[in-house]
Amino acid sequence: MEIERSMCMWCGACVGTCNRNAVTLYETRIEFEDNCNDCGVCIKVCPVGALSLSE
Ligand code: SF4
Ligand code: SF4
């Protein structure tokens, strides 16, 4: 997963939607864990379109 950090507003929506607990929100940082399977669900809930699949 890729995150456009300048767009993210730390709302936490992506964290709550991941059923693999693969996204963690730190104070001003989002991290994706290795168990992310690129399902894309979090991309759809991000209100600012900050997430995308890695190339
Ligand atoms: S792509 Fe899917 S598995 Fe990966 S962080 Fe987003 S919701 Fe979780
Ligand atoms: S849903 Fe989008 S704006 Fe909200 S924390 Fe996740 S990446 Fe950032």
Side-chain angles (χ1 to χ4, degrees):
M1 292 294 300
E2 300 277 344
I3 177 165
E4 180 53 56
R5 292 175 201 278
S6 63
M7 295 171 73
C8 178
M9 56 186 187
W10 328 117
C11 70
C14 54
V15 179
T17 200
C18 179
N19 60 16
R20 297 173 74 96
N21 288 327
V23 204
T24 308
L25 173 66
Y26 299 92
E27 276 190 29
T28 55
R29 192 161 52 95
I30 292 280
E31 294 288 341
F32 291 93
E33 312 299 337
D34 289 344
N35 61 340
C36 169
N37 66 355
D38 289 346
C39 71
V41 171
C42 57
I43 297 174
K44 295 189 184 121
V45 301
C46 179
V48 295
L51 300 174
S52 58
L53 291 176
S54 304
E55 295 286 309

